[in-house]
Amino acid sequence: MTCLKALILAGGFATRLRPLSCSRPKTLFPIVNKPLLEWIFQRLANDGVTEAIMATNALTQFYIKQQAPSKHGLKIKFSVDPAKTPLGTGGPIKKAEKLIGHDEPFIVLNGDIFADLSYRELISAHNKTGALATIALCKVEDPCRYGVAELSEDNHIKRFIEKPTIDKAPSNLINAGVYVLSPKVFDYIPAKKPVSIEREVFPRLAEEGKLFGHRINGLWIDIGKPGEFLQTNKIILDAEAKNLKLKRAKNFELKTPVAIEKDAMIGENSVIGPYAILGKNITVGKNSQISNSVIFPYVEIGEACQIEGALIGEGAKIGKHVKIGSGCIIGDLAKIKDNLTLSEGVTVCPAKEVTENILNPKGNC
Ligand code: GDD
Ligand code: MG
C-alpha cells in the first residue's frame, strides 16, 4: 500500500437536491441514518488511507465540523476554496498541493457518490501502467449526465468527454468520480483559478496517452437527485438490514426492511415500513403509516398520517391526519397543519407553514 492520502471534493452546491440541500451539503445527506461522508471515511480507512483532505467551501466546512461525522481513525484536514471563487473540480487539487505532497500517488474522489469499490485495487491498477491519472469507470445506461471514457483494450483512455450529447458519447463507461493521480498532475492544473479536471485536465492527459481507466462493477450511485437519494437509502437498507438493531415494537408494527434510531417514540397501531428510515429523535403519533420514505432527525408526525415515498426534512412538524404522497419533499422545519393532503411530487420550502391542501406539485417552493 503506497497511497495514503485522499482528497474529497465537496464544495459544490447540489442545486438538484433543493430544498434539502439548502441547509446541508450533499456529502452530509444521511444514508440509512449515517452521513454519506461517514460511509466514505469508513471505506477509505478500511483500504489503508490515513489522511483525508476535505476540499470544500466555507459553509460546507462549517456544516461538516458541526455534524462531526465519525472519522474512522482518519486524520482530517480542510482545504477551503476562496469565498468569491469556487475552484471547480480541478482547482482544489492544485490548492491542496502542499497538503498532499509529491511523495506518492493519491486518491481524489467526489464527495457525493456512494461507491462499493476497492481503493487498493484502483491504486495497484494505477501503479502498474505508468499513468498520471487512473479513473474508476462504471457502466451506466445513460452516460450523458457524466464524464464518458473511450477505453482501449490495454485500459488506456483514448478520449474523455464530460457530459456529451447522446450522439457524441463514445461508450457507456463513465467516470465514477474516483481517481488515483500521480503528483505530476499538479503541473497540469493552473493555480488560484477555477479549473474543471474533467474538461481541462483529463482530455489533455488522454491526448498524451497518460490517462487510464479501471472498471468497477460494484454498487455505484451519484445521489444527485431526490429519487436517487431515496433509492440509495433503500438499496443500502436492504444490504444492511441484517446488521440493524431494531427497536422493539410494542403497540406498533414494524415492517422490514426498516431503520429506526433507538430514541424514536412511536404511537400505538402505527405501521412503520417497509423501507422507512427514521433518523434520531422522531415522534410519530398513533395510527400513522410511514413507508418508502426517509425521515430526517427531529421530525414530529401527528396521529393518523399517511406518508409514502417522501423525504421529510429535519425538524419538520406534520400535523394530524396528514397525507403526503410519493415524491414529496418537505423542507427542514416546515409545518404542515392538520387534515391536509399533499399530492404526489409536492415540494415544501424550509420553514414554510402549509395551511391548505396542495394538489398541484408546482409552485410551492
Ligand atoms: N471544493 C470544490 N469547489 N468542490 C467542488 C466544486 C468547487 O467549486 N464544484 C464541485 N465540487 C465537488 C462537488 O461537491 C462534488 O462532490 C464533486 O466536486 C463533483 O461535482 P458535481 O457538481 O457533483 O459534478 P457532477 O456530478 O455533475 O459530475 C462529476 O461527477 C460524475 C460522477 O458522479 C464529474 O466528475 C463527472 O465526470 C462524473 O461522471
Ligand atoms: Mg455529482
Side-chain angles (χ1 to χ4, degrees), residues 196-234:
S196 160
I197 192 161
E198 300 88 347
R199 293 178 197 274
E200 296 168 60
V201 180
F202 289 158
R204 218 182 116 196
L205 288 170
E207 257 174 42
E208 295 178 12
K210 291 169 182 159
L211 188 64
F212 279 68
H214 174 73
R215 291 170 191 252
I216 56 168
N217 303 311
L219 175 67
W220 180 90
I221 317 180
D222 174 332
I223 63 156
K225 294 184 190 166
E228 291 159 344
F229 168 64
L230 177 57
Q231 192 58 19
T232 310
N233 268 281
K234 290 170 65 176

Side-chain angles (χ1 to χ4, degrees), residues 1 35 44 121 126 161 170 174 194 199 231 240 252 271 291-292 331:
M1 189 76 206
L44 288 171
E121 267 178 42
H126 179 82
I161 313 174
I174 62 126
R199 293 178 197 274
Q231 192 58 19
E240 292 285 302
F252 58 93
V271 182
S291 59
N292 204 21

